[in-house]
Amino acid sequence: ISLNENDAYCIYNNDRSKLNNYGLLYNGLVLIDPRGISVPDGWRLPEKNDWEKLFDELGGSEIAGMHMKIKSADNFDNKGTNSSGFSAFASGHRLGYMGDIRNGSFAAEGVFARFWVAKTSFHSIHLGNSNDKAFYSGGGVFDGTASIRLIKN
């Protein structure tokens, strides 16, 4: 992976050892760039209704987060069950500074995960260690980063 100041993604704390568990963190450019994000054939970014369907299958958004988080002392204070098999790691995020994540700081490793929602105005799904919820939040293209999960068509 080649990272430079023009990339729309980063690794948490610029530490390559975190890549295997956390994957890449992407800014909102991946949602609006006309080239799109490169995904394997037959896969796509989940839209809001895809996330809502998952939450419903897991008992509703009030408890879906618990079923999506991995069970680990280093992630979400060991409050996940991963009964869904989603295996969300608390990968944290990079906060924007002056509207630009490239100059921002990293935060919330071990306690927070965020996933982009396709075809929205930079909305994302949040999972945290303070409760069992999975909830939506808005933001701007450079306000912060989020992970990406793909689903089959």
Side-chain angles (χ1 to χ4, degrees):
I1 293 173
S2 172
L3 300 175
N4 65 54
E5 67 181 28
N6 298 314
D7 288 331
Y9 54 84
C10 61
I11 299 170
Y12 188 88
N13 212 27
N14 300 313
D15 181 349
R16 290 182 186 275
S17 71
K18 298 182 184 301
L19 184 60
N20 283 340
N21 282 343
Y22 296 163
L24 295 170
L25 299 171
Y26 298 85
N27 67 29
L29 286 177
V30 300
L31 301 176
I32 62 169
D33 190 307
R35 295 170 293 177
I37 184 169
S38 177
V39 299
D41 287 339
W43 293 80
R44 64 182 172 81
L45 288 166
E47 298 174 17
K48 185 176 180 180
N49 63 323
D50 297 313
W51 288 106
E52 289 172 346
K53 182 179 177 185
L54 174 62
F55 300 160
D56 288 346
E57 290 176 5
L58 298 175
S61 63
E62 292 293 315
I63 62 169
M66 170 184 62
H67 299 293
M68 297 167 68
K69 302 172 195 174
I70 66 163
K71 185 171 180 66
S72 165
D74 295 333
N75 286 274
F76 305 109
D77 293 336
N78 210 25
K79 294 180 181 173
T81 66
N82 197 33
S83 61
S84 67
F86 188 85
S87 302
F89 277 82
S91 56
H93 59 120
R94 191 171 192 178
L95 304 169
Y97 173 74
M98 301 295 289
D100 189 342
I101 66 157
R102 295 170 292 190
N103 297 315
S105 59
F106 293 92
E109 179 184 21
V111 297
F112 177 82
R114 182 176 174 202
F115 300 92
W116 285 120
V117 178
K119 299 182 180 178
T120 63
S121 298
F122 312 110
H123 284 84
S124 55
I125 303 300
H126 290 234
L127 306 174
N129 70 338
S130 63
N131 58 49
D132 294 334
K133 295 180 182 180
F135 62 94
Y136 293 99
S137 180
V141 66
F142 282 117
D143 286 346
T145 60
S147 298
I148 289 180
R149 286 292 177 97
L150 302 176
I151 61 171
K152 286 186 178 183
N153 289 333

